[in-house]
Each structure stands twice: as structure tokens, then as C-alpha cells.
């Protein structure tokens, strides 16, 4: 994906989500390689000019130091997300741990991220995908993260099947 295509996706999200100036967190930052970072209407957009990928993310949490201090805790969370794939855009998104600040958020920042290597020009499709990404990130931020981190893995393995079945039945993916 080229820079202009990535910027086009951000503009499409802005139009489809009816973003106003208030909905843009700060201003766009651009790195020396031609990548950029901006947050619009809750979605983080990070373009990697070297890999030619646009990463779109929703916030799961921040100041979660234990995840980088104890690798087993991070691995535990990743496994839980992989098992509950229907809460991760049906397996199209993954958890990402950033150990540096992100637009005013203190590290360690956990994001639910979908990588795009090809542009989506259909505004309704892009809106649907990013909306789902943000809903799933919010689910993990508000509800599931603390539940998961407070349970034994055996219990989470049991729960995953019923969570996926419920989501498949009551919230089928529209794309």
C-alpha cells in the first residue's frame, strides 16, 4: 500500500464516521521514513512506509506494565484472544503491545490491530470493519481484559467455545 492509499483510507474513515475536528486526537505525526500516526474518532492509524502497511487499531488498555515485565502474562492474553477469535474481528485482528507512549497514552499500550496491505476504497466496508475493530477493542478494554487476567487458563479454554458460538450466532460478521 502506498502512502496516498493509506491517507485515502484515513480520509474515507473520516467521511464515513462523520469525524469533525474535535474527533482528531492531536495532529498527524510523520516520521523520517514517510510513515504517519493519527487518531481519528477512536481509531489509531499508523502507516509503516517501509513495510507499506496501514495498521488500524483500537485501544485495549494502557499503563499495563506487567505485560512487558512478565512475558508469560502477555502470552497468556494473546492465547486468550486467539481462542476467542470472534472477539478479535473473527481472527483478522491481533493484540499488539507498544512499550513507548502513544499520542499521550503512557506505556505499556495494548491495541487490537488489523493490518492492511491493500487499500479499501469501499467506504461502507471500511466503516464496517473499523467499527467492528473498535467494538471488539472496547469489549476487551471494558469487559474482558480484567476477567481474563483474573482466571486460570483451563477456565478460559472452557469459556472460549461458548463465547465463539454465541458470537457466531448473534453477531455474524457482515463482510
Amino acid at each position: 500500500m502506498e502512502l496516498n492509499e493509506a491517507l485515502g483510507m484515513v480520509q474515507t474513515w473520516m467521511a464515513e464516521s462523520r469525524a469533525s475536528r474535535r474527533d482528531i486526537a492531536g495532529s498527524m505525526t510523520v516520521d523520517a521514513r514517510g510513515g504517519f500516526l493519527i487518531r481519528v474518532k477512536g481509531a489509531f492509524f499508523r502507516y509503516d512506509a517501509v513495510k507499506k502497511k496501514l495498521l488500524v487499531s483500537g485501544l485495549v488498555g494502557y499503563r499495563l506494565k506487567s505485560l512487558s515485565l512478565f512475558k508469560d502474562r502477555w502470552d497468556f492474553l494473546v492465547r486468550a484472544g486467539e481462542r476467542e477469535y470472534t472477539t478479535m474481528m473473527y481472527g483478522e485482528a491481533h493484540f499488539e503491545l507498544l512499550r513507548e507512549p502513544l499520542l499521550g497514552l503512557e506505556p505499556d499500550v495494548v491495541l487490537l490491530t488489523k493490518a492492511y496491505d491493500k487499500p479499501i476504497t469501499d467506504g461502507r466496508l471500511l466503516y464496517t470493519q473499523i467499527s467492528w475493530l473498535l467494538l471488539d477493542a472496547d469489549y476487551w478494554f471494558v469487559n474482558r481484559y480484567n476477567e481474563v487476567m483474573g482466571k486460570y487458563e483451563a477456565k478460559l479454554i472452557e469459556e472460549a467455545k461458548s463465547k465463539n458460538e454465541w458470537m457466531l450466532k448473534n453477531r455474524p460478521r457482515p463482510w
Side-chain angles (χ1 to χ4, degrees), residues 76 79-80 83-84 144 148 151-164:
F76 181 83
R79 285 192 305 273
R83 280 191 297 271
E84 297 178 24
R144 197 67 179 141
V148 163
K151 290 185 178 179
Y152 290 106
E153 192 152 23
K155 181 68 175 165
L156 295 173
I157 291 168
E158 273 179 41
E159 291 177 356
K161 182 179 179 194
S162 64
K163 286 196 175 295
N164 288 329

Side-chain angles (χ1 to χ4, degrees), residues 25 37 39 44 62-63 100-107 109:
L37 165 65
R39 184 176 183 183
F44 293 89
Y62 58 97
R63 281 188 282 173
E100 63 274 347
L102 179 67
L103 295 177
L105 297 173
E106 294 178 31
V109 179

Side-chain angles (χ1 to χ4, degrees), residues 15-63:
E16 291 293 327
S17 66
R18 296 184 177 96
S20 68
R21 290 189 188 272
R22 290 189 321 263
D23 298 319
I24 301 171
S27 60
M28 179 183 289
T29 60
V30 180
D31 64 38
R33 295 178 174 175
F36 66 81
L37 165 65
I38 190 168
R39 184 176 183 183
V40 179
K41 201 104 178 188
F44 293 89
F45 294 87
R46 293 171 293 145
Y47 178 67
D48 184 324
V50 175
K51 295 180 182 174
K52 297 193 179 291
K53 286 187 187 263
L54 178 65
L55 304 175
V56 183
S57 307
L59 181 64
V60 173
Y62 58 97
R63 281 188 282 173

